[in-house]
């Protein structure tokens, strides 16, 4: 085993490739343990490469080379060298030439799920970021774009379906019908990470779509036989996404077919391979009994996301992996906008911000902080992060806010026009918006280069005599690892000043300029804005719609928060005011608990919450969001140091109980009023009613009386859809009672034959705050339905425990840390990507109180000392301990 420390790869070292590959012919004979790949590569020197041409270095891993021929002549051993990472041809011609390589790989043994592997008997591939090098030797980097013709061959019985990128051109039988083949041609030049193939016994659901210009596209979703009935929602979402991208961004689909394949073993959610998207089956399969409203919404979003990549990612790709946000941030923004149009825009915004704060803010505030465009990495797979995706999307949203919706669209149109068919950079992307708008975005670029969440400290002063208001905003930029000093950012701050009657005041600056769109642009460390004609003391509503990914601090009184909760014309900020108020109550409660004092009663807050909960003029989905308290990790993040997860849990539990008790009649009314009758529909109108009703039930259950337990048991027993069933199961999982045991047995008996649905059974046991949870989870790792080799199972059981059970992961005896560490090391032997991801559950360890911090550090130290470690895990643990 090698023990060398891997060297980081730096953005500043980027050089264009010395050779280009224009076309690839692949001939793949599928066999479980010995798949033969004949690759014919058409190469030529890259005219853009400066300096001595040098050797041709082709990436390759886990391959067995049978033969190599250059322009038809076999290469002699002296002509090339081979290592476990590359094939190097010392003197490749300085002209165009053809390289024929025959290699073997072993899909069955591939448990890293990168490259070509088998999932429940189905051959499939995952090539992003660097999996293609496990299929053949190649210039496996995103700035080498080639057209592909792929011939697949397999026994008919084993793989009756053979798919690859592009359009089908030929198929036929061989060996008197025992074997068959299919040829696919993709005319669009693409980087190797977008290559895909699938072979297996698959059923499908078919439909079609006519594009705006009249092109007919055949759509197919392939799944395990018997699951076709669960694809209708995904197909529906796909068609809506295709239409939406035409209408909103003028983007049409460009091949004759669009195929989606669902597989069970998948490291990520889904992959946007050109014309052949491959999905984790959890993000395709849905029926009312098997999938919750949340799953339906996730499927809609991810189907749209991968489809949108066809333009933002595939037709225009990334020059190098440092530019990952160029495709991901932009495409997440596009899927968020799609969902906002399909559902309630405010509810969607709240969900997106909640997600950002839950996943990205802790990353930005801990040892794993990195810029949206990192400038170094050891293992690129570690950079598929909330920062690159979710904060990356916020950067795009800020561009839209700064330029206006039309201005943004013009810039994006220019980007498509200018860079179609290219591998681009963030600079080239932003230049399109500068060129189309005539505005400078130089300072805005800092957002891409600088890590950390800015804090906006705001002070509002009102002058009764002069009838003016003065708003001072100071941006604090906390240091992040390796970056002590920060430059000020260009920040769009959307605001309103609300008068005592609850209405927004006209915003007129002292200069006389009217701020009709309520948008301030901050560019200095501290700036003061003066407003005139302010006749009564206003309440400031800042960062409306969450106009920038920042923490806001302004000392609103509790009365002002209550006022905003009831009056803010920006519904997003009304919700934010409720969250801020709840946070304040919870933080005070935690501090009281830790000081052994009796916490203050939360009556004023609960009363204010009740007003909105009972307001039937507001959308039920919005009210459900209003009722959800900040999560335990939100509170931990606000506390920032000396965090005791148990105290946070108890404080939150106490507040939930107070809400259930004080608002009992409002909650009971909601529970009765919003029972959805008739056939299940995943449409947001009905999903929102279920969300509100289940939120009410949750609070009533937290009272813990016999009648409350009876209610949730009845809810579980009579549930007619997965949403109600799972919500009840989640509530029951927190109770120490025979009803809990009974519910889990019943769920198991009902779903143990379904490898996907049973993941809920694992997850809801893993999330339980009961002291017995760790022992239960440990036992479940031995369950016959559990497998460490299936990422969905690992995520459901161990991932949920590590990331969503703060009380038990952070047990004061450190046993939660030890358990997760052991699993990380076990996984690292065969699937480093999943191991590294699981390890990132430790990202906030430095905030913990001293005892837990010491134990977490000890556990991390143990991981760091283990040999061998994959570069994936070594990089993450190294950063955690820096
Ligand atoms: Zn993506």
């Amino acid at each position: 085993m090698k023990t060398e420390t891997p060297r980081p790869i730096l953005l500043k070292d980027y050089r264009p490739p010395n050779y280009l590959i224009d076309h690839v012919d692949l001939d793949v004979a599928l066999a479980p343990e010995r798949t033969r790949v004949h690759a014919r590569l058409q190469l030529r020197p890259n005219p853009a490469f400066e300096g001595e041409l040098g050797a041709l270095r082709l990436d390759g891993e886990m391959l067995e080379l049978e033969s190599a021929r250059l322009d038809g002549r076999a290469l002699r051993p002296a002509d090339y060298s081979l290592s476990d990472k590359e094939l190097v041809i010392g003197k490749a011609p300085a002209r165009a030439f053809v390289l024929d390589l025959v290699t073997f790989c072993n899909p069955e043994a591939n448990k890293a799920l990168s490259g070509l592997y088998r999932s429940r008997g189905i051959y499939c591939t995952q090539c992003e970021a660097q999996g293609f090098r496990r299929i053949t030797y190649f210039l496996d980097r995103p700035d080498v774009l080639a057209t592909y013709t792929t011939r697949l061959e397999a026994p008919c019985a084993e793989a009756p379906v053979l798919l690859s990128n592009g359009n089908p051109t030929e198929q036929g039988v061989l060996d008197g019908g025992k074997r068959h083949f299919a040829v696919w041609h993709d005319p669009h030049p693409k980087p190797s990470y977008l290559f895909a193939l699938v072979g297996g016994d698959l059923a499908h659901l078919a439909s079609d779509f006519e594009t705006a210009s009249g092109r007919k596209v055949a759509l197919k979703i392939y799944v395990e036989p018997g699951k076709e009935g669960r694809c209708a929602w995904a197909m529906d979402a796909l068609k809506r996404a295709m239409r939406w991208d035409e209408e909103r961004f003028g983007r049409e689909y460009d091949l004759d077919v669009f195929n989606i394949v669902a597989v069970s073993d998948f490291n990520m959610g889904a992959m946007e391979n050109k014309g052949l998207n491959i999905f984790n089956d959890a993000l395709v399969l849905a029926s009312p009994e098997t999938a919750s409203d949340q799953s339906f919404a996730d499927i809609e979003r991810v189907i749209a996301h991968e489809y949108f990549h066809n333009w933002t990612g595939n037709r225009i790709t990334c020059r190098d992996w440092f530019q990952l946000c160029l495709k991901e941030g932009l495409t997440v923004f596009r899927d968020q906008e799609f969902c906002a149009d399909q559902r309630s825009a405010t509810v969607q915004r709240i969900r997106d911000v909640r997600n950002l704060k839950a996943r990205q803010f802790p990353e930005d505030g801990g040892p794993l902080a990195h810029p949206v465009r990192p400038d170094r990495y050891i293992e690129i797979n570690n950079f598929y992060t909330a920062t690159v995706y979710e904060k990356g999307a916020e950067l795009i949203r800020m561009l839209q806010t700064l330029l206006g919706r039309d201005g943004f669209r013009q810039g994006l149109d220019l980007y498509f026009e200018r860079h179609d068919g290219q591998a681009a950079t963030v600079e080239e992307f932003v230049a399109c918006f500068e060129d189309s708008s005539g505005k400078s975005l130089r300072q805005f670029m800092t957002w891409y280069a600088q890590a950390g969440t800015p804090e906006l400290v705001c002070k509002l002063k009102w002058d009764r005599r002069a009838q003016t208001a003065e708003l001072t905003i100071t941006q604090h930029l906390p240091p992040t690892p390796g970056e002590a000093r920060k430059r000020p950012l260009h920040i769009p701050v959307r605001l309103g000043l609300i008068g005592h009657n609850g209405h927004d005041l006209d915003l007129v600056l002292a200069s006389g300029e009217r701020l009709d769109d309520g948008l301030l642009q901050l560019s200095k460390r501290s700036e003061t804005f003066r407003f005139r004609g302010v006749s009564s003391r206003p309440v400031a509503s800042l960062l409306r719609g969450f106009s920038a990914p920042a923490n806001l601090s302004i000392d609103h009184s509790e009365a002002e928060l209550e006022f905003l909760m009831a009056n803010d014309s920006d519904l997003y900020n009304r919700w934010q005011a409720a969250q801020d108020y709840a946070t304040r109550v919870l933080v005070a409660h935690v501090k009281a608990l830790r000081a052994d004092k009796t916490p203050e009663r939360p009556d004023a807050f609960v009363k204010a919450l009740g007003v909105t909960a009972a307001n039937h003029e507001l959308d039920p989905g919005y009210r459900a969001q209003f009722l959800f308290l900040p999560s335990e990790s939100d509170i931990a993040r606000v506390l920032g140091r000396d965090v005791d997860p148990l105290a946070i849990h108890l404080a939150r539990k106490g507040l939930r109980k107070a809400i259930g008790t004080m608002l009992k009649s409002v909650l009971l009314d909601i529970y009765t009023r919003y029972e959805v009758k008739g056939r299940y529909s995943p449409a947001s109108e009905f999903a929102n009613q279920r969300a509100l009703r289940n939120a009410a039930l949750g609070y009533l259950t937290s009272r813990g009386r016999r009648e409350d337990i009876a209610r949730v048991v009845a809810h579980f027993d009579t549930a007619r859809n997965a949403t109600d069933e799972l919500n009840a199961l989640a509530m029951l999982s927190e109770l120490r009672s025979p009803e809990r045991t009974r519910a889990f047995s019943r769920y198991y008996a009902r779903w143990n034959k379904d490898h996907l649905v049973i993941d809920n059974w694992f997850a809801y046991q893993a999330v339980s705050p009961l002291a017995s949870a760790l022992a239960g989870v440990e036992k479940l790792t031995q369950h016959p339905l559990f497998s460490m080799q299936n990422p969905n199972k690992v995520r459901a059981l161990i991932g949920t425990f590590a990331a969503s059970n703060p009380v038990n992961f952070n047990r004061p005896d450190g046993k939660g840390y030890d358990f997760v560490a052991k699993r990380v090391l076990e996984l690292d032997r065969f699937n480093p990507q999943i191991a590294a991801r699981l390890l990132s559950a430790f990202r906030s360890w430095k905030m913990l109180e001293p005892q837990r911090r010491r134990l977490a550090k000890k556990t991390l130290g143990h991981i760091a000392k283990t040999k061998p470690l994959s570069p994936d895990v070594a990089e993450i643990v190294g950063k955690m301990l820096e």
Side-chain angles (χ1 to χ4, degrees):
M1 279 294 173
K2 285 197 305 290
T3 50
E4 68 199 73
T5 327
R7 257 204 1 240
I9 296 167
L10 307 179
L11 170 59
K12 68 179 170 59
D13 291 344
Y14 172 84
R15 290 187 77 192
N18 55 352
Y19 283 87
L20 296 177
I21 302 174
D22 292 321
H23 182 73
V24 180
D25 281 291
L26 283 179
D27 194 341
V28 183
L30 293 168
E33 284 165 10
R34 215 167 146 72
T35 287
R36 181 179 189 272
V37 178
H38 176 182
R40 171 169 291 178
L41 314 179
Q42 295 183 13
L43 289 118
R44 68 183 157 98
N46 181 4
F49 183 81
E50 285 163 12
E52 194 80 26
L53 198 51
L56 171 63
R57 313 184 80 92
L58 299 173
D59 306 296
E61 279 173 17
M62 318 286 287
L63 296 173
E64 181 192 324
L65 180 69
E66 185 189 70
S67 67
R69 304 175 84 84
L70 198 154
D71 281 341
R73 291 189 30 197
L75 288 181
R76 291 163 307 164
D79 297 333
Y80 65 92
S81 67
L82 206 55
S83 72
D84 58 0
K85 290 223 168 340
E86 38 179 28
L87 165 67
V88 182
I89 300 177
K91 289 198 188 88
R95 53 167 170 80
F97 63 98
V98 174
L99 193 62
D100 280 277
L101 301 168
V102 177
T103 53
F104 289 92
C105 60
N106 183 345
E108 194 63 54
N110 181 354
K111 300 300 175 198
L113 314 186
S114 157
L116 174 64
Y117 64 94
R118 297 233 294 167
S119 165
R120 287 168 69 97
I122 295 162
Y123 294 93
C124 66
T125 53
Q126 171 57 35
C127 292
E128 187 175 1
Q130 298 178 330
F132 193 69
R133 64 187 62 184
R134 294 164 149 246
I135 295 173
T136 186
Y137 290 98
F138 206 74
L139 291 169
D140 192 14
R141 44 188 289 169
D143 55 355
V144 173
L145 277 65
T147 52
Y148 285 69
T149 306
T150 305
R151 182 182 178 280
L152 301 170
E153 196 187 308
C156 299
E158 194 190 333
V161 174
L162 296 171
L163 308 169
S164 190
N165 314 89
N167 296 320
T169 56
E170 214 190 317
Q171 54 183 324
V173 289
L174 307 157
D175 284 355
K178 274 206 207 103
R179 294 176 68 78
H180 73 145
F181 71 93
V183 182
W184 292 77
H185 176 68
D186 184 0
H188 299 278
K190 64 169 179 284
S192 49
Y193 81 85
L194 290 172
F195 171 81
L197 73 79
V198 168
D201 183 6
L202 293 157
H204 70 262
L205 174 72
S207 189
D208 51 58
F209 182 83
E210 189 174 325
T211 68
S213 68
R215 177 197 271 272
K216 279 257 197 304
V217 185
L219 310 176
K220 282 189 183 141
I221 300 182
Y222 289 89
V223 292
E224 271 179 22
K227 302 270 170 75
E228 309 90 294
R230 293 197 208 169
C231 306
W233 176 252
M235 183 64 89
D236 182 61
L238 173 62
K239 290 197 228 174
R240 282 183 282 127
M242 293 177 89
R243 189 63 74 213
W244 184 88
D245 211 16
E246 294 180 344
E247 288 168 357
R248 173 74 186 269
F249 290 114
R251 299 297 111 199
E252 264 191 62
Y253 187 61
D254 52 10
L255 288 166
D256 303 336
V257 300
F258 186 82
N259 290 317
I260 291 175
V261 180
V263 298
S264 314
D265 303 278
F266 207 69
N267 280 350
M268 308 198 218
M271 177 63 208
E272 70 262 24
N273 317 298
K274 182 83 187 185
L276 176 57
N277 290 359
I278 298 182
F279 269 66
N280 189 321
D281 56 6
L283 288 162
V284 171
L285 301 174
S287 69
E289 302 75 42
T290 61
S292 64
D293 290 327
Q294 183 59 51
S295 296
F296 275 93
D298 290 343
I299 289 168
E300 177 180 87
R301 184 178 60 79
V302 180
I303 289 271
H305 176 97
E306 305 308 333
Y307 172 74
F308 295 154
H309 268 312
N310 191 52
W311 275 93
T312 49
N314 299 4
R315 289 187 70 126
I316 308 182
T317 192
C318 303
R319 187 193 71 175
D320 52 72
W321 289 120
F322 296 103
Q323 321 292 330
L324 184 58
C325 66
L326 182 69
K327 76 177 177 80
E328 293 305 342
L330 178 53
T331 306
V332 170
F333 168 77
R334 275 150 56 69
D335 80 51
Q336 290 177 349
E337 289 288 272
F338 169 72
C339 294
D341 281 351
Q342 304 286 309
R343 290 153 183 265
S344 149
T346 305
V347 172
Q348 187 61 40
R349 187 66 187 135
I350 290 171
R351 281 166 176 265
D352 292 339
V353 174
R354 231 190 243 286
N355 181 36
L356 178 84
K357 289 190 175 176
R359 296 177 51 235
Q360 200 274 327
F361 277 27
E363 191 167 273
D364 233 358
L368 300 184
H370 56 273
V372 169
R373 182 175 62 184
D375 56 10
R376 60 171 58 213
Y377 62 77
I378 288 173
E379 174 50 63
I380 186 57
N381 287 319
N382 285 334
F383 285 84
Y384 286 72
T385 59
T387 298
V388 169
Y389 279 64
E390 270 77 27
K391 188 176 177 183
E394 292 300 319
L395 267 48
I396 307 289
R397 186 173 298 280
M398 284 192 285
L399 269 182
Q400 179 171 263
T401 304
L402 290 168
L403 302 177
R405 212 167 140 125
D406 292 342
F408 176 76
R409 170 72 196 266
Q410 282 162 19
L412 203 56
D413 283 350
L414 181 60
Y415 174 63
F416 291 130
E417 188 188 309
R418 197 181 270 178
H419 294 291
D420 189 11
Q422 294 178 7
T425 61
V426 168
E427 279 77 7
E428 288 169 326
F429 173 75
V430 174
C432 294
F433 294 88
E434 287 194 313
D435 293 351
S436 66
S437 70
K439 291 182 182 156
S440 167
L441 294 168
R442 240 187 78 189
Q443 190 186 1
F444 185 79
M445 284 299 294
T446 308
W447 279 105
Y448 282 99
Q450 208 166 263
T453 310
E455 184 187 0
L456 301 179
V457 179
C458 306
K459 285 211 159 49
L460 182 71
K461 272 197 258 169
W462 176 62
D463 185 327
R464 182 191 301 270
R465 245 187 314 156
Q467 305 235 318
T468 56
E470 214 179 76
L471 176 68
T472 302
I473 310 180
T474 308
Q475 41 174 314
H476 289 275
L477 303 150
T480 51
E483 215 180 54
R485 285 239 354 125
K486 307 271 185 182
R487 285 167 287 151
L489 295 159
H490 182 183
I491 305 178
V493 179
R494 210 180 272 290
L495 88 159
L497 295 179
I498 308 173
H500 62 90
N501 60 357
H503 294 303
D504 280 6
L505 303 171
D506 285 340
L507 297 175
V508 185
L509 290 169
S511 62
E513 187 197 337
R514 294 179 60 91
L515 276 186
D516 288 330
D517 57 357
L519 188 68
L520 293 174
Q521 298 195 27
L522 197 65
S523 55
K524 303 198 187 89
R525 281 191 197 274
S526 186
E527 279 179 75
T528 298
F529 303 90
R530 288 182 187 80
F531 298 92
R532 68 189 200 193
V534 184
S535 56
S536 63
R537 180 183 296 281
V539 178
S541 165
L542 293 166
L543 222 57
R544 283 184 159 175
F546 203 63
S547 60
N551 282 308
L552 184 72
S553 100
I554 178 165
D555 41 8
H556 278 136
S557 67
E558 288 178 2
E560 282 174 321
L561 287 172
E562 199 180 318
F563 177 81
L564 290 169
M565 279 169 73
N567 295 292
D568 201 324
S569 65
D570 184 79
L571 284 178
Y572 170 85
N573 262 17
R574 260 195 218 191
W575 169 82
Q576 186 63 58
Q579 292 286 301
D580 291 345
Y581 200 165
T583 304
R584 196 177 287 195
V585 169
L586 286 165
V587 165
H589 197 140
V590 170
K591 288 186 176 158
L593 281 178
R594 298 210 63 201
D596 254 336
K597 291 190 184 135
T598 316
E600 251 179 74
R601 287 185 57 92
D603 300 17
F605 166 71
V606 177
K607 228 183 256 168
L609 196 68
V611 172
T612 303
N615 182 350
H616 297 295
E617 278 166 27
L618 290 168
D619 166 17
Y622 178 73
R623 279 189 281 154
Q625 291 295 335
F626 219 85
L627 280 174
F628 297 144
L629 294 177
S631 69
E632 291 173 27
S633 51
D634 288 335
I635 305 302
R637 181 166 45 74
V638 171
L639 285 165
R641 49 186 290 275
D642 201 23
V643 166
D644 175 353
L646 184 60
I648 295 175
H649 175 73
L650 293 174
R652 198 170 176 278
K653 199 173 156 187
L655 181 56
R656 286 183 55 79
K657 193 169 176 181
I659 294 171
T661 307
M662 284 179 64
L663 300 183
K664 185 183 166 198
S665 59
V666 173
L667 297 165
L668 273 174
D669 176 53
I670 289 173
Y671 188 68
T672 330
R673 190 188 285 247
Y674 290 104
E675 184 175 357
V676 186
K677 305 232 166 70
R679 255 187 75 203
Y680 174 88
S681 156
S684 71
E685 182 195 345
F686 304 109
N688 286 341
Q689 295 181 26
R690 282 186 289 271
L692 180 58
R693 186 166 184 253
N694 279 304
L697 177 66
Y699 283 114
L700 290 167
T701 306
S702 64
R703 292 165 10 116
R705 307 202 180 163
R706 276 327 302 170
E707 63 191 90
D708 304 314
I709 294 172
R711 191 183 304 108
V712 69
V713 167
H715 193 76
F716 181 77
D717 288 344
T718 60
R720 290 180 304 126
N721 57 68
T723 306
D724 288 337
E725 187 179 35
L726 286 171
N727 269 288
L729 191 65
M731 294 168 208
L732 286 163
S733 81
E734 298 196 12
L735 304 175
R736 204 178 289 108
S737 74
E739 285 85 353
R740 175 187 199 273
T741 316
R742 192 186 139 262
F744 276 100
S745 325
R746 215 187 94 141
Y747 196 85
Y748 182 80
R750 185 166 179 207
W751 294 114
N752 72 76
K753 296 277 182 297
D754 192 302
H755 70 86
L756 198 55
V757 181
I758 201 64
D759 287 352
N760 296 312
W761 182 77
F762 286 106
Y764 286 108
Q765 297 185 75
V767 84
S768 167
L770 301 182
S772 57
L774 176 60
V777 170
E778 273 186 310
K779 203 168 149 209
L780 285 171
T781 58
Q782 305 302 319
H783 193 279
L785 293 183
F786 181 80
S787 160
M788 284 294 272
Q789 293 182 356
N790 175 253
N792 284 358
K793 290 281 177 292
V794 172
R795 277 186 282 256
L797 185 64
I798 305 168
T800 302
F801 177 79
S804 308
N805 192 342
V807 171
N808 282 305
F809 174 60
N810 298 293
R811 281 166 58 117
D813 61 6
K815 286 189 176 158
Y817 304 142
D818 289 344
F819 167 73
V820 173
K822 224 168 121 187
R823 302 300 147 183
V824 166
L825 292 173
E826 188 182 340
L827 278 164
D828 196 39
R829 280 179 237 136
F830 58 89
N831 193 335
Q833 276 184 46
I834 297 293
R837 196 141 300 194
L838 186 61
L839 178 59
S840 63
F842 284 91
R843 68 190 170 196
S844 300
W845 73 273
K846 287 182 181 170
M847 298 197 306
L848 293 164
E849 52 79 24
Q851 185 189 335
R852 288 176 173 90
R853 194 165 66 222
R854 189 175 49 77
L855 291 167
K857 188 175 182 182
K858 197 174 138 207
T859 305
L860 289 168
H862 170 70
I863 295 178
K865 273 193 264 126
T866 307
K867 297 242 159 67
L869 279 185
S870 68
D872 308 57
V873 166
E875 180 175 31
I876 299 282
V877 77
K879 280 182 166 186
M880 296 254 205
L881 289 171
E882 244 167 44

